[in-house]
Amino acid sequence: MRTEDVLAAVATGLWRWNNVTGLVTFDAEAARLMGLPAAPVEVAESTARARFHPVDWVEIQGIVSLAVAEGTLAEARLRVVDPEGRVLRTVRSRTKPMPLDGPDGSTEAYELVGILEEVPEPQPGTSAARTPVTGDWRRNREAFLLDAGRALAEARSTSEVLRVAAGLSMPGFEPAGLAVFGIDGDRISVIGHHGQRQGEEEPFMDMPLSTDYPAAEVIRTGRAIYLPDPEEYRRRFPTTWPLAEGFGRRSWAFLPLINAGRTIGAWMAGFSIPVTFSPDERSVLTTVARMLAQALSRASVHESERELTDGLQRSMMPTVQPDIPGMAVAARYVPTGGGLEVGGDWYDMITLPSGKIALVIGDVQGHDVRAAGLMGQLRIALRAYASEGHHPDAVLSRASRFLAGINDLSGPDAATDPRFATCLYIEVDPGTGILDIARAGHPDPAIRLVDGTMLVRATAGGLPLGIDPDTDYPTTRIVLEPGETMMVCTDGLIETGGHDLETGWNRLRSIIEGHDLWENEGVGGLETLADALVQAVHGPPSYHTTGPLVDRREDDIAVLLLCRDGGECGPGPYDQAPPPARRTVLTVAQAEPERIAAARKQLRDLMHDWADEDQVDSAVLMVSEMVTNVLVHTDGDALLVAEITGEQHRRRIHVEVSDASDDMPHLRQPGEMASSGRGLVLMELLAETWGVDPRGEGKSIWFELYEGAPAPGPSELPPAPPVEPAA
């Protein structure tokens, strides 16, 4: 008797489904089961599809895809309907995918060959009638896969991916143990595991890829292995069965981890209860394996990028030297603006041949890899020029020519994307506290005085590096007094969070002036201040101090703190001693009349907590007049020195402006149309006391104000102040 006759005798039909030609072939019994005339027939796929319930057709598509991927049988129950959509019967289909050569060489061409047999309706009251496979299980499966996909997509590291995988609770069956295997050359190893005690995974930690072990075979072939019982495991893998026997599992699933068509490992799910691995269960496991492979691949890329970033940062950001005699240093670098978290901001600390220390901070334009590369080259060039013993202005001049030369190269990036860099170079004499500063378009340094007041010290400067190779960079000398702290930073610390220079400095002022360096002495105090500055700009508190400029939300941050006399940085307890003097010194050169505005701001910052605002305005007016007179009536520079002494509400400010001219001013009464002669009149009216003192070379004009003394009324002021140069 022929096979077809035997199958027909037991009401079982044969069918073939060719996905290349789109034709489905039924024998006579299969045609009868499908509601067609009981004769062999070949129909189009659309005709066969019309004979299946739409929901079941969608389900069998997924089952067939899974069987094709795994090379296993595709089993499903299908409802057959008539042309009006009425269910005629339920049939069971068992088919085997047979690979075909597609017209375009595709490996996804196949022909399903299998059987159809009718499934009798369950009798009322039986367990089959009470517990059918319904849409509830499918909905639970879909909800589980959505949650698992979201959790795995959010995992950023391999450990997080493994933690998420260990916490997956699959619908209807839950693994008692999980393991993820990776590939290292011709060997496999355990990347992570769950459900084993410490040491139990050691036999599997490092195995040759040729080992007779399910995970190794899955990696070699790229096909899943399902072991529903221990007997099946022992029969197929007798060599490694003794290693697995001790875990007490009853069923195992080993699935390949495939990403972008490449097998990157294997995933093992072990069960403490027997699992038949139905098509639905295999579908869930296969989907989880695919998501797990993608998550592990993303985590690997992210960890590689992070390792690259950390390596670049370690190579480009030096460790500052905290034990400079008489000094304390702290630094921070926070890359916030680039995708690889590397950018053009940097700082450096260089030991000079003279025994002094050079502090450098800068910012190359941009937040990309090119900016990071230029930053590395520029940092090396600056170190080389500084190590040759050049003065700060010469170091920056040479660095500017170096960067301009790079921009002039014929390379595609340099020709179409020239970059510039801002830089602040400070030569520090630890013994005397003298700071020689050269500035190339960079924000000015800020000084925290001994009593906690912060002053932004205006310094002379030139264009950013790389714009004009012949730019000169004048230097400014200031003295860091014992207990004072200098802060230099890139514009990211000032402007991040929607701020401009003014509002950004005000935000930093509240942090610097409110921080107690005395409580955390020396280097520890500087470290806590550095952390507080970064947190105020980049941490949770930054959301409460956002500025008005929405286009300035994020930028790289570099900051350097330098304190003279590290063990005594910051204000101390003044119960037994008078408060320290608050002092500032500023030079206004003949060629820089715009710095008169900086002098006015410097004095306002010095008197920020003065009780009488009118006295502050008076002091600012007199300083403006005194400095302007030096620039107008002499050929030299003006040196401004201001000092506040005494206890709160009983303080005195002494301000003097010196110049190199021997011509002494005289008090006179200018006419209404006079353009000069009002300076001393203003001092006579506004100052508590004032004077002109001759020096060995030149003279100084000074005045004093006492906190709480009444200021003159409007009627006592002169008719109009003189016109000063633009500032």
Side-chain angles (χ1 to χ4, degrees), residues 460-461 474 587-596 627 630-632 634-638 725-727:
T587 300
V588 181
Q590 280 284 336
E592 298 177 312
E594 67 276 2
R595 296 195 67 193
I596 297 176
V627 175
V630 171
L631 299 186
V632 171
T634 73
D635 296 328
D637 302 337

Side-chain angles (χ1 to χ4, degrees), residues 470-481:
D470 298 323
T471 300
D472 291 328
Y473 295 96
T475 59
T476 302
R477 171 169 290 188
I478 63 176
V479 177
L480 195 65
E481 301 291 345

Side-chain angles (χ1 to χ4, degrees), residues 11 19 21 96 101 145 193 243 278 369 380 411 445 494 584 670 724:
N19 84 324
T21 63
K96 174 73 175 180
D101 292 331
L145 292 177
H193 59 87
L243 298 177
S278 67
V369 176
I380 293 173
I494 303 171
T584 185
E724 64 178 56

